[in-house]
Amino acid sequence: MCYNFHTRLSIMKRISRGDYIMMDVKKVLEKITNGLKVNLFEFDIDNEDDFLELKEYLMNKVRISKVHNIEEYNLTYYGAKNLNPKFVAKFNEQVAKINVPKKAAKPQFDVRRERITEWLAQFLLEQKYGCKFYDEADKKINLKTVEIDKHTDGIDVPGIWLDKDRIRFVVCEVKASEDKKIPCNSVQSLQEDIQKAVDNSDNRVSREILEYMHGIRNVKMQDDMLIRIVDFLANLIAGEKEELTNNIMFFPFLLRNNDKIISEKNLDDYKTFSLERVKKENVENILAIFGKSFSDFSNEVYEQAIGE
């Protein structure tokens, strides 16, 4: 795709300011399957301007990640003065090379693919559900250099859902599959991950909440809503287990590259999906169709964002 330079520059400025992105994610179908709500969405990748907005959103996530932000390695921070500009340029060049994540031959081991598909899930939750995600609490954005080739621990996409006057913690686990079979092979592991979160196995969710609280301490703009969120999260930690589960919105998120799902309106990926010890109103299954190779697209985003 070829984009007008001024269009691209305008979109980049809007994203860097944190403006709301209007790329259309179409809701195709809503249905109860095996007792749980399933929403089918489709990313509109055929609209060039919309697709560019989505791509710039993802590229911006890569660029602002600490490992790719050269300001995080500013030599003057250490008190160095009168540095040779050529030396600084060489240093910055080496930093950029060191912090390029490896490409993996197998998709399930590809950290680029993992990060981009999880940000795609975050994008949809922002646009269609009004969920709120703070970059300061995003583990992928705040990776350390020694973690650049490692998969991110914990819940894939944690966040906040402001549903009218009610606050809920978001637990979203993401699987991306290009399997031609329906249901795909990723459904079972998705169900297992969500069930572990429901049960708070090994304090999986409690630790995620504490991590999130620690992250949002760095949010520069303090407001009444942020204070409400911190109070809400603190009460989840101090409260009973049942109170914890009732105040979480669980989003099993299956990202698929299979055009038959849309043409046939086929939701069978979730036909046997089931969870225990959680209210049905606290679960919303998401099936999102993205008509591109996840690995190729993720590599393309990284290459355009950081040149590698």
Side-chain angles (χ1 to χ4, degrees), residues 233-279:
L233 295 176
N235 284 323
L236 288 187
I237 293 296
E240 300 296 326
K241 182 178 180 180
E242 183 178 349
E243 185 179 354
L244 174 67
T245 306
N246 290 341
N247 283 283
I248 294 175
M249 193 64 195
F250 298 94
F251 289 106
F253 196 110
L254 192 56
L255 192 62
R256 296 282 264 126
N257 178 13
N258 185 329
D259 54 8
K260 284 187 177 181
I261 292 173
I262 292 294
S263 62
E264 299 174 1
K265 292 185 170 53
N266 190 329
L267 305 183
D268 284 353
D269 274 322
Y270 282 108
K271 70 177 182 179
T272 61
F273 189 96
S274 63
L275 296 168
E276 299 176 346
R277 295 176 291 281
V278 63
K279 295 177 181 177

Short mmCIF file of all heavy atoms in Angstrom, two decimals, residues 233-279:
data_model
loop_
_atom_site.label_atom_id
_atom_site.label_comp_id
_atom_site.label_asym_id
_atom_site.label_seq_id
_atom_site.Cartn_x
_atom_site.Cartn_y
_atom_site.Cartn_z
N LEU A 233 -8.56 -1.17 42.89
CA LEU A 233 -7.58 -2.26 42.83
C LEU A 233 -7.11 -2.67 44.23
O LEU A 233 -6.94 -3.87 44.50
CB LEU A 233 -6.39 -1.85 41.96
CG LEU A 233 -6.70 -1.59 40.47
CD1 LEU A 233 -5.45 -1.09 39.76
CD2 LEU A 233 -7.22 -2.85 39.80
N ALA A 234 -6.93 -1.68 45.10
CA ALA A 234 -6.50 -1.99 46.47
C ALA A 234 -7.57 -2.82 47.19
O ALA A 234 -7.24 -3.76 47.93
CB ALA A 234 -6.24 -0.69 47.23
N ASN A 235 -8.84 -2.50 46.96
CA ASN A 235 -9.92 -3.27 47.59
C ASN A 235 -9.98 -4.69 47.04
O ASN A 235 -10.35 -5.62 47.78
CB ASN A 235 -11.26 -2.57 47.36
CG ASN A 235 -11.43 -1.35 48.27
OD1 ASN A 235 -11.01 -1.37 49.41
ND2 ASN A 235 -12.04 -0.30 47.76
N LEU A 236 -9.62 -4.87 45.78
CA LEU A 236 -9.59 -6.23 45.22
C LEU A 236 -8.53 -7.07 45.92
O LEU A 236 -8.74 -8.26 46.19
CB LEU A 236 -9.31 -6.19 43.72
CG LEU A 236 -10.41 -5.68 42.79
CD1 LEU A 236 -10.01 -5.89 41.34
CD2 LEU A 236 -11.74 -6.37 43.07
N ILE A 237 -7.39 -6.48 46.20
CA ILE A 237 -6.31 -7.20 46.87
C ILE A 237 -6.70 -7.55 48.30
O ILE A 237 -6.44 -8.66 48.79
CB ILE A 237 -5.01 -6.36 46.86
CG1 ILE A 237 -4.47 -6.21 45.44
CG2 ILE A 237 -3.95 -6.98 47.77
CD1 ILE A 237 -4.05 -7.51 44.79
N ALA A 238 -7.36 -6.63 48.98
CA ALA A 238 -7.70 -6.82 50.40
C ALA A 238 -8.98 -7.62 50.60
O ALA A 238 -9.24 -8.12 51.70
CB ALA A 238 -7.82 -5.46 51.09
N GLY A 239 -9.80 -7.75 49.54
CA GLY A 239 -11.11 -8.38 49.68
C GLY A 239 -11.07 -9.90 49.60
O GLY A 239 -10.02 -10.54 49.51
N GLU A 240 -12.27 -10.48 49.60
CA GLU A 240 -12.41 -11.93 49.52
C GLU A 240 -12.27 -12.41 48.07
O GLU A 240 -12.42 -11.64 47.13
CB GLU A 240 -13.78 -12.35 50.06
CG GLU A 240 -14.03 -11.97 51.51
CD GLU A 240 -13.06 -12.66 52.46
OE1 GLU A 240 -12.69 -13.83 52.18
OE2 GLU A 240 -12.68 -12.04 53.47
N LYS A 241 -12.02 -13.72 47.90
CA LYS A 241 -11.81 -14.29 46.57
C LYS A 241 -13.02 -14.09 45.68
O LYS A 241 -12.90 -13.76 44.49
CB LYS A 241 -11.47 -15.78 46.68
CG LYS A 241 -11.20 -16.42 45.32
CD LYS A 241 -10.82 -17.89 45.46
CE LYS A 241 -10.56 -18.51 44.09
NZ LYS A 241 -10.17 -19.94 44.18
N GLU A 242 -14.23 -14.29 46.23
CA GLU A 242 -15.45 -14.13 45.44
C GLU A 242 -15.60 -12.70 44.95
O GLU A 242 -16.01 -12.45 43.82
CB GLU A 242 -16.67 -14.53 46.26
CG GLU A 242 -17.98 -14.46 45.47
CD GLU A 242 -19.18 -14.91 46.28
OE1 GLU A 242 -18.98 -15.46 47.39
OE2 GLU A 242 -20.30 -14.70 45.82
N GLU A 243 -15.24 -11.74 45.81
CA GLU A 243 -15.30 -10.33 45.43
C GLU A 243 -14.32 -10.04 44.29
O GLU A 243 -14.63 -9.26 43.38
CB GLU A 243 -14.96 -9.45 46.64
CG GLU A 243 -15.11 -7.97 46.38
CD GLU A 243 -14.80 -7.13 47.61
OE1 GLU A 243 -14.56 -7.72 48.69
OE2 GLU A 243 -14.77 -5.89 47.49
N LEU A 244 -13.16 -10.69 44.32
CA LEU A 244 -12.18 -10.52 43.25
C LEU A 244 -12.75 -10.97 41.92
O LEU A 244 -12.75 -10.21 40.94
CB LEU A 244 -10.91 -11.32 43.58
CG LEU A 244 -9.82 -11.36 42.50
CD1 LEU A 244 -9.20 -9.99 42.31
CD2 LEU A 244 -8.75 -12.39 42.87
N THR A 245 -13.29 -12.18 41.86
CA THR A 245 -13.82 -12.73 40.61
C THR A 245 -14.99 -11.91 40.08
O THR A 245 -15.11 -11.68 38.88
CB THR A 245 -14.26 -14.19 40.81
OG1 THR A 245 -13.17 -14.94 41.36
CG2 THR A 245 -14.67 -14.82 39.50
N ASN A 246 -15.86 -11.46 40.96
CA ASN A 246 -17.04 -10.70 40.55
C ASN A 246 -16.70 -9.32 40.00
O ASN A 246 -17.54 -8.69 39.34
CB ASN A 246 -18.02 -10.56 41.71
CG ASN A 246 -18.68 -11.87 42.07
OD1 ASN A 246 -18.71 -12.80 41.26
ND2 ASN A 246 -19.22 -11.97 43.28
N ASN A 247 -15.50 -8.83 40.27
CA ASN A 247 -15.11 -7.49 39.82
C ASN A 247 -14.07 -7.54 38.70
O ASN A 247 -13.35 -6.58 38.47
CB ASN A 247 -14.56 -6.68 41.00
CG ASN A 247 -15.68 -6.17 41.88
OD1 ASN A 247 -16.36 -5.21 41.55
ND2 ASN A 247 -15.88 -6.84 43.01
N ILE A 248 -14.03 -8.67 38.01
CA ILE A 248 -13.15 -8.84 36.86
C ILE A 248 -14.00 -9.13 35.63
O ILE A 248 -14.99 -9.86 35.70
CB ILE A 248 -12.15 -9.98 37.09
CG1 ILE A 248 -11.17 -9.62 38.21
CG2 ILE A 248 -11.37 -10.29 35.80
CD1 ILE A 248 -10.22 -10.75 38.59
N MET A 249 -13.63 -8.54 34.50
CA MET A 249 -14.23 -8.90 33.22
C MET A 249 -13.22 -9.74 32.46
O MET A 249 -12.11 -9.28 32.17
CB MET A 249 -14.60 -7.65 32.42
CG MET A 249 -15.50 -7.95 31.24
SD MET A 249 -17.11 -8.59 31.78
CE MET A 249 -17.72 -9.25 30.22
N PHE A 250 -13.60 -10.97 32.17
CA PHE A 250 -12.72 -11.90 31.48
C PHE A 250 -13.03 -11.87 29.98
O PHE A 250 -14.17 -12.09 29.56
CB PHE A 250 -12.90 -13.32 32.02
CG PHE A 250 -12.54 -13.47 33.48
CD1 PHE A 250 -13.52 -13.36 34.46
CD2 PHE A 250 -11.23 -13.70 33.87
CE1 PHE A 250 -13.20 -13.49 35.81
CE2 PHE A 250 -10.90 -13.84 35.22
CZ PHE A 250 -11.89 -13.73 36.18
N PHE A 251 -12.00 -11.61 29.18
CA PHE A 251 -12.13 -11.57 27.73
C PHE A 251 -11.22 -12.64 27.10
O PHE A 251 -10.06 -12.37 26.82
CB PHE A 251 -11.74 -10.20 27.17
CG PHE A 251 -12.71 -9.09 27.46
CD1 PHE A 251 -12.41 -8.12 28.41
CD2 PHE A 251 -13.91 -9.00 26.76
CE1 PHE A 251 -13.29 -7.09 28.67
CE2 PHE A 251 -14.80 -7.96 27.02
CZ PHE A 251 -14.49 -7.00 27.97
N PRO A 252 -11.73 -13.85 26.88
CA PRO A 252 -10.97 -14.78 26.03
C PRO A 252 -10.96 -14.19 24.62
O PRO A 252 -12.01 -13.85 24.08
CB PRO A 252 -11.81 -16.07 26.09
CG PRO A 252 -12.71 -15.90 27.29
CD PRO A 252 -12.97 -14.45 27.39
N PHE A 253 -9.78 -14.07 24.03
CA PHE A 253 -9.65 -13.35 22.76
C PHE A 253 -8.94 -14.24 21.75
O PHE A 253 -7.76 -14.55 21.89
CB PHE A 253 -8.85 -12.06 22.97
CG PHE A 253 -8.97 -11.05 21.86
CD1 PHE A 253 -9.65 -9.87 22.06
CD2 PHE A 253 -8.40 -11.27 20.63
CE1 PHE A 253 -9.76 -8.92 21.06
CE2 PHE A 253 -8.50 -10.35 19.61
CZ PHE A 253 -9.19 -9.16 19.82
N LEU A 254 -9.69 -14.64 20.73
CA LEU A 254 -9.14 -15.49 19.68
C LEU A 254 -9.02 -14.67 18.40
O LEU A 254 -10.01 -14.22 17.83
CB LEU A 254 -10.06 -16.70 19.47
CG LEU A 254 -9.54 -17.86 18.62
CD1 LEU A 254 -8.22 -18.40 19.19
CD2 LEU A 254 -10.58 -18.98 18.59
N LEU A 255 -7.79 -14.46 17.97
CA LEU A 255 -7.51 -13.70 16.75
C LEU A 255 -7.27 -14.70 15.63
O LEU A 255 -6.41 -15.57 15.74
CB LEU A 255 -6.28 -12.82 16.98
CG LEU A 255 -5.96 -11.74 15.96
CD1 LEU A 255 -7.08 -10.70 15.87
CD2 LEU A 255 -4.66 -11.05 16.34
N ARG A 256 -8.05 -14.56 14.55
CA ARG A 256 -8.02 -15.59 13.50
C ARG A 256 -7.77 -14.99 12.13
O ARG A 256 -8.26 -13.91 11.81
CB ARG A 256 -9.35 -16.35 13.48
CG ARG A 256 -9.64 -17.13 14.73
CD ARG A 256 -8.85 -18.42 14.78
NE ARG A 256 -9.67 -19.53 14.30
CZ ARG A 256 -9.32 -20.36 13.34
NH1 ARG A 256 -8.17 -20.21 12.71
NH2 ARG A 256 -10.10 -21.35 12.98
N ASN A 257 -7.01 -15.72 11.33
CA ASN A 257 -6.85 -15.41 9.92
C ASN A 257 -7.48 -16.55 9.13
O ASN A 257 -6.81 -17.48 8.69
CB ASN A 257 -5.37 -15.25 9.57
CG ASN A 257 -5.14 -14.96 8.09
OD1 ASN A 257 -6.07 -14.64 7.36
ND2 ASN A 257 -3.89 -15.06 7.65
N ASN A 258 -8.81 -16.48 9.03
CA ASN A 258 -9.57 -17.53 8.35
C ASN A 258 -10.84 -16.88 7.80
O ASN A 258 -11.77 -16.60 8.56
CB ASN A 258 -9.89 -18.66 9.32
CG ASN A 258 -10.58 -19.84 8.64
OD1 ASN A 258 -11.31 -19.68 7.67
ND2 ASN A 258 -10.37 -21.04 9.18
N ASP A 259 -10.89 -16.64 6.49
CA ASP A 259 -12.01 -15.88 5.91
C ASP A 259 -13.33 -16.65 5.93
O ASP A 259 -14.41 -16.05 5.83
CB ASP A 259 -11.68 -15.45 4.48
CG ASP A 259 -11.26 -16.61 3.57
OD1 ASP A 259 -11.38 -17.77 4.01
OD2 ASP A 259 -10.83 -16.34 2.44
N LYS A 260 -13.28 -17.97 6.11
CA LYS A 260 -14.52 -18.74 6.19
C LYS A 260 -15.36 -18.37 7.41
O LYS A 260 -16.59 -18.50 7.39
CB LYS A 260 -14.22 -20.25 6.22
CG LYS A 260 -13.84 -20.84 4.88
CD LYS A 260 -13.73 -22.35 4.97
CE LYS A 260 -13.43 -22.96 3.59
NZ LYS A 260 -13.35 -24.44 3.66
N ILE A 261 -14.70 -17.93 8.46
CA ILE A 261 -15.42 -17.59 9.68
C ILE A 261 -16.40 -16.44 9.41
O ILE A 261 -17.54 -16.46 9.89
CB ILE A 261 -14.43 -17.21 10.80
CG1 ILE A 261 -13.63 -18.46 11.22
CG2 ILE A 261 -15.16 -16.62 12.01
CD1 ILE A 261 -12.51 -18.19 12.19
N ILE A 262 -15.97 -15.46 8.62
CA ILE A 262 -16.84 -14.33 8.29
C ILE A 262 -17.90 -14.75 7.28
O ILE A 262 -19.10 -14.50 7.45
CB ILE A 262 -16.03 -13.14 7.74
CG1 ILE A 262 -15.15 -12.54 8.84
CG2 ILE A 262 -16.95 -12.07 7.16
CD1 ILE A 262 -15.91 -11.89 9.97
N SER A 263 -17.49 -15.38 6.19
CA SER A 263 -18.44 -15.73 5.13
C SER A 263 -19.53 -16.69 5.61
O SER A 263 -20.68 -16.62 5.19
CB SER A 263 -17.70 -16.33 3.93
OG SER A 263 -17.04 -17.54 4.29
N GLU A 264 -19.15 -17.56 6.55
CA GLU A 264 -20.11 -18.55 7.06
C GLU A 264 -20.69 -18.14 8.41
O GLU A 264 -21.54 -18.85 8.96
CB GLU A 264 -19.44 -19.91 7.19
CG GLU A 264 -18.92 -20.48 5.88
CD GLU A 264 -18.13 -21.77 6.06
OE1 GLU A 264 -18.00 -22.24 7.22
OE2 GLU A 264 -17.63 -22.30 5.04
N LYS A 265 -20.21 -16.98 8.93
CA LYS A 265 -20.60 -16.55 10.28
C LYS A 265 -20.49 -17.73 11.26
O LYS A 265 -21.41 -18.05 12.01
CB LYS A 265 -22.01 -15.95 10.27
CG LYS A 265 -22.09 -14.62 9.53
CD LYS A 265 -23.46 -13.99 9.65
CE LYS A 265 -23.47 -12.57 9.14
NZ LYS A 265 -22.95 -12.39 7.77
N ASN A 266 -19.31 -18.31 11.26
CA ASN A 266 -19.05 -19.54 12.00
C ASN A 266 -18.38 -19.23 13.34
O ASN A 266 -17.24 -18.76 13.38
CB ASN A 266 -18.15 -20.44 11.15
CG ASN A 266 -18.02 -21.84 11.71
OD1 ASN A 266 -18.08 -22.05 12.92
ND2 ASN A 266 -17.83 -22.83 10.83
N LEU A 267 -19.08 -19.51 14.41
CA LEU A 267 -18.54 -19.26 15.76
C LEU A 267 -18.13 -20.55 16.46
O LEU A 267 -17.97 -20.57 17.68
CB LEU A 267 -19.60 -18.53 16.61
CG LEU A 267 -20.17 -17.23 16.06
CD1 LEU A 267 -21.14 -16.61 17.05
CD2 LEU A 267 -19.05 -16.24 15.74
N ASP A 268 -17.91 -21.61 15.68
CA ASP A 268 -17.64 -22.91 16.29
C ASP A 268 -16.31 -23.00 17.01
O ASP A 268 -16.05 -23.99 17.71
CB ASP A 268 -17.71 -24.02 15.23
CG ASP A 268 -19.15 -24.36 14.85
OD1 ASP A 268 -20.07 -23.84 15.52
OD2 ASP A 268 -19.35 -25.14 13.90
N ASP A 269 -15.44 -22.00 16.87
CA ASP A 269 -14.22 -22.00 17.68
C ASP A 269 -14.56 -22.04 19.16
O ASP A 269 -13.81 -22.57 19.98
CB ASP A 269 -13.38 -20.74 17.38
CG ASP A 269 -12.45 -20.93 16.19
OD1 ASP A 269 -11.89 -22.03 16.04
OD2 ASP A 269 -12.28 -19.98 15.41
N TYR A 270 -15.73 -21.49 19.51
CA TYR A 270 -16.14 -21.43 20.92
C TYR A 270 -17.26 -22.43 21.26
O TYR A 270 -17.85 -22.33 22.33
CB TYR A 270 -16.61 -20.02 21.27
CG TYR A 270 -15.49 -19.02 21.48
CD1 TYR A 270 -15.22 -18.03 20.55
CD2 TYR A 270 -14.69 -19.07 22.62
CE1 TYR A 270 -14.19 -17.10 20.74
CE2 TYR A 270 -13.66 -18.16 22.83
CZ TYR A 270 -13.42 -17.18 21.89
OH TYR A 270 -12.40 -16.28 22.08
N LYS A 271 -17.52 -23.39 20.39
CA LYS A 271 -18.71 -24.24 20.60
C LYS A 271 -18.59 -25.14 21.83
O LYS A 271 -19.62 -25.52 22.42
CB LYS A 271 -18.99 -25.07 19.35
CG LYS A 271 -18.00 -26.18 19.05
CD LYS A 271 -18.45 -26.97 17.82
CE LYS A 271 -17.50 -28.12 17.52
NZ LYS A 271 -17.94 -28.90 16.34
N THR A 272 -17.38 -25.49 22.25
CA THR A 272 -17.22 -26.32 23.46
C THR A 272 -16.50 -25.55 24.57
O THR A 272 -16.14 -26.14 25.58
CB THR A 272 -16.43 -27.61 23.14
OG1 THR A 272 -15.12 -27.27 22.67
CG2 THR A 272 -17.16 -28.44 22.10
N PHE A 273 -16.28 -24.26 24.37
CA PHE A 273 -15.56 -23.44 25.35
C PHE A 273 -16.43 -23.28 26.60
O PHE A 273 -17.57 -22.86 26.52
CB PHE A 273 -15.26 -22.08 24.74
CG PHE A 273 -14.32 -21.22 25.57
CD1 PHE A 273 -12.97 -21.19 25.29
CD2 PHE A 273 -14.80 -20.44 26.62
CE1 PHE A 273 -12.10 -20.40 26.03
CE2 PHE A 273 -13.95 -19.65 27.37
CZ PHE A 273 -12.59 -19.63 27.07
N SER A 274 -15.87 -23.62 27.75
CA SER A 274 -16.63 -23.52 29.00
C SER A 274 -15.70 -23.15 30.15
O SER A 274 -14.50 -23.45 30.11
CB SER A 274 -17.36 -24.83 29.30
OG SER A 274 -16.42 -25.88 29.51
N LEU A 275 -16.28 -22.50 31.14
CA LEU A 275 -15.52 -22.10 32.33
C LEU A 275 -16.32 -22.45 33.57
O LEU A 275 -17.55 -22.50 33.54
CB LEU A 275 -15.25 -20.59 32.30
CG LEU A 275 -14.38 -20.07 31.16
CD1 LEU A 275 -14.43 -18.54 31.08
CD2 LEU A 275 -12.94 -20.53 31.31
N GLU A 276 -15.62 -22.67 34.67
CA GLU A 276 -16.25 -22.99 35.94
C GLU A 276 -15.96 -21.90 36.97
O GLU A 276 -14.97 -21.17 36.87
CB GLU A 276 -15.72 -24.34 36.47
CG GLU A 276 -16.00 -25.51 35.54
CD GLU A 276 -15.37 -26.79 36.04
OE1 GLU A 276 -14.51 -26.73 36.96
OE2 GLU A 276 -15.72 -27.87 35.50
N ARG A 277 -16.87 -21.79 37.93
CA ARG A 277 -16.70 -20.90 39.09
C ARG A 277 -16.61 -19.42 38.70
O ARG A 277 -15.87 -18.65 39.30
CB ARG A 277 -15.46 -21.32 39.90
CG ARG A 277 -15.61 -22.70 40.52
CD ARG A 277 -14.35 -23.15 41.22
NE ARG A 277 -13.26 -23.42 40.29
CZ ARG A 277 -13.13 -24.55 39.57
NH1 ARG A 277 -14.06 -25.48 39.64
NH2 ARG A 277 -12.11 -24.72 38.75
N VAL A 278 -17.37 -19.04 37.67
CA VAL A 278 -17.44 -17.64 37.27
C VAL A 278 -18.83 -17.37 36.70
O VAL A 278 -19.42 -18.22 36.03
CB VAL A 278 -16.34 -17.29 36.24
CG1 VAL A 278 -16.54 -18.07 34.94
CG2 VAL A 278 -16.31 -15.80 35.97
N LYS A 279 -19.36 -16.18 36.99
CA LYS A 279 -20.67 -15.81 36.45
C LYS A 279 -20.56 -15.54 34.96
O LYS A 279 -19.57 -14.96 34.49
CB LYS A 279 -21.19 -14.57 37.18
CG LYS A 279 -21.47 -14.78 38.66
CD LYS A 279 -21.92 -13.49 39.32
CE LYS A 279 -22.17 -13.70 40.81
NZ LYS A 279 -22.54 -12.43 41.49
#
